[in-house]
Every structure is written in C-alpha cells, then in structure tokens.
C-alpha cells in the first residue's frame, strides 16, 4: 500500500473508529462507528486525504474539472483535494436550495457541462452520495466518477450508489473492514513493549516510545 494510503488508514483507525453500540443515521444500529471528519479535518489527515483522493482520481483517468459532494461530510474532502491537487476546483451541494439570495443549491464551481467527480466520507445506505449525484446532474454537470473515503459494505449502499451513478463508476478508498482491522492492530496489547530508538510517532511525528504494534509516542501509545 502506498505510504499516503497507509498513513491515512492508520489515522482513520486511530481518530475516527470506535467500538461500542451506536445508532446510525439510517436508523439501524452497529457495534462500531466511523466519524471521518475527525480525520479529514485534522491537519495531517486533511493533507493525506487530499493526496490519496487526488492520486486515485488521477490513476483512474477520470480527468474531472472539479469535485464536490453533499455538505457537510464531503466539505473537508473537497477542500483538501482542491488544495493538494492545485488544479481541481471544488463545489458543495446543499441539502436544499437556500431560501435567500440567488437560491442556488450548488455552491462554488458552477460551469454547466463540466466533468466532475462526486465525493463523500462514509457510505452506508448511500443516501447522501445519491443526493449529490442527483443535484449535480440536475444542475448540468457530467459525472465521471464517484468516490467515498470509507464504505461500510452494508444496507445495500453499494448497489444503490452504483445504480444512481451509472454509467460513472463508484469506488471506495477503504472499507470499514480495512479500518476495523487496523484499529484492532493498533490496540493489540498482547505483545511485550519494545522501546523505539530514533523513531517518530506515525500519528503525530513526535518522538516514539514504543514500536509495538506501531511506532507511537506516549500520547498515542494506546
């Protein structure tokens, strides 16, 4: 795995993943919760998000002029990718048209007919992603690809988004299983503590005090 992808996965597992009993926006319940905004709004996490999404878009040959998504999960992703890429414009999709001013639903980049990619943070049912797809097409954008940061692989989210996005492809950077597995690895305390020498913490870059299971400083050791 590319280092930026690996670093982003580690940060998601540390900052955004929690085990427990949670009620989801879809109305269901889960034994885990992923709040990607604690990562995408983190200084290092924002940079990594921009790098990973920009790389994915470039490697897939989508060649969009802009990226956007439904506020507010997509907001930090859109900004990060726009800044890191230095060439992709950003737009945000309101959940409803604003009731004042110009009354527009699409904010930011607004060139009708432009090639765009739709992004989101977490896909469960895919409802927010599909709202963004619908609004973008109604405005007049040509959607060339749809990408989410973490796919939960449940609630029929993938087939629903794939149907809404077609003929554009839908891809995910990580699955919830990827993030969960990394979270478990980070919190595995079964092995002996081995102190790291001349190493830096993989989370914050500070001096590491252990390298089991990963290089960690005192604050991020557990």
């Amino acid at each position: 795995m590319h280092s930026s992808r690996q670093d982003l996965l580690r940060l998601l597992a540390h900052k955004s993943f929690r085990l427990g009993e949670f009620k989801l926006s879809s109305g269901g319940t889960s034994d885990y919760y992923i709040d990607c905004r604690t990562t995408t709004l983190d200084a290092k996490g924002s940079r990594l998000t921009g790098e990973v999404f920009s790389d994915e878009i470039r490697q897939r040959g989508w060649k969009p002029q802009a990226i956007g998504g439904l506020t507010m999960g997509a907001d930090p992703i859109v900004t990060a990718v726009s800044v890191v890429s230095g060439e992709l414009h950003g737009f945000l999709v309101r959940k409803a048209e604003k009731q004042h001013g110009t009354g527009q639903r699409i904010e930011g980049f607004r060139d009708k007919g432009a090639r765009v990619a739709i992004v989101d943070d977490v896909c469960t049912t895919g409802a927010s992603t599909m709202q963004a797809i619908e609004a973008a097409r109604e405005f007049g954008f040509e959607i060339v690809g749809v990408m989410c940061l973490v796919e939960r692989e449940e609630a029929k989210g993938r087939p629903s988004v794939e149907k809404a996005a077609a003929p554009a492809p839908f891809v995910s950077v990580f699955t919830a299983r990827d993030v969960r597995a990394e979270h478990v690895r980070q919190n595995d305390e079964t092995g002996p503590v081995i102190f790291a020498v001349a190493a830096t913490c993989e989370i914050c870059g500070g001096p590491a005090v252990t390298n089991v299971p990963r290089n960690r400083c005192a604050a991020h050791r557990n």
Side-chain angles (χ1 to χ4, degrees), residues 170-217:
F170 168 56
V171 299
S172 58
V173 178
F174 303 112
T175 65
R177 285 181 296 172
D178 296 330
V179 182
R180 186 179 192 132
E182 177 60 26
H183 178 82
V184 170
R185 281 193 290 269
Q186 290 182 10
N187 290 275
D188 181 7
E189 299 178 352
T190 59
V193 174
I194 302 174
F195 289 94
V197 178
T200 58
C201 174
E202 295 175 346
I203 299 296
C204 68
V209 297
T210 180
N211 59 9
V212 176
R214 299 282 190 272
N215 290 341
R216 295 286 188 267
C217 65

Side-chain angles (χ1 to χ4, degrees):
M1 184 181 290
H2 187 275
S3 60
S4 292
R5 284 178 59 88
Q6 183 64 56
D7 289 346
L8 182 56
L9 177 60
R10 290 169 180 162
L11 205 58
L12 281 166
H14 176 71
K15 282 184 167 288
S16 299
F17 188 91
R18 295 291 181 270
L19 290 170
E21 186 175 342
F22 302 94
K23 184 174 181 178
L24 305 176
S25 60
S26 61
T29 59
S30 176
D31 66 345
Y32 72 92
Y33 184 68
I34 302 177
D35 180 3
C36 287
R37 283 165 294 192
T38 58
T39 293
T40 57
L41 288 170
D42 175 84
K44 181 179 180 180
S46 178
R47 174 178 58 80
L48 291 171
T49 298
E51 290 175 356
V52 171
F53 270 77
S54 295
D55 287 345
E56 287 282 346
I57 290 171
R58 182 171 54 253
Q59 290 170 12
R60 294 178 184 279
W62 291 353
K63 298 181 179 179
Q65 295 167 254
I67 64 162
L70 192 72
T71 191
M72 56 184 294
D75 296 5
I77 298 175
V78 170
T79 302
V81 176
S82 182
V83 170
V84 170
S85 70
E87 60 184 13
L88 293 178
H89 303 294
F91 65 91
L92 303 178
V93 180
R94 290 177 176 269
K95 294 180 180 179
E97 292 181 355
K98 63 181 181 180
Q99 302 303 307
H100 58 279
T102 57
Q104 61 198 30
R105 191 176 181 191
I106 303 291
E107 300 285 0
F109 180 82
R110 289 172 55 83
D111 289 1
K112 290 184 180 293
R115 294 165 56 89
V116 304
I118 299 296
V119 296
D120 210 341
D121 56 358
V122 178
C123 177
T124 304
T125 64
S128 62
T129 310
M130 290 187 287
Q131 285 183 56
I133 292 170
E134 180 182 9
R137 283 187 171 141
E138 285 183 354
F139 176 76
F141 287 142
E142 176 190 353
I143 298 175
V144 296
V146 178
M147 186 181 301
C148 73
L149 180 54
V150 179
E151 180 188 351
R152 289 184 63 107
E153 298 180 295
E154 57 192 58
K156 298 182 179 179
R158 171 165 283 277
S160 297
V161 175
E162 286 179 332
K163 182 178 179 180
F170 168 56
V171 299
S172 58
V173 178
F174 303 112
T175 65
R177 285 181 296 172
D178 296 330
V179 182
R180 186 179 192 132
E182 177 60 26
H183 178 82
V184 170
R185 281 193 290 269
Q186 290 182 10
N187 290 275
D188 181 7
E189 299 178 352
T190 59
V193 174
I194 302 174
F195 289 94
V197 178
T200 58
C201 174
E202 295 175 346
I203 299 296
C204 68
V209 297
T210 180
N211 59 9
V212 176
R214 299 282 190 272
N215 290 341
R216 295 286 188 267
C217 65
H220 295 120
R221 179 173 170 180
N222 295 320

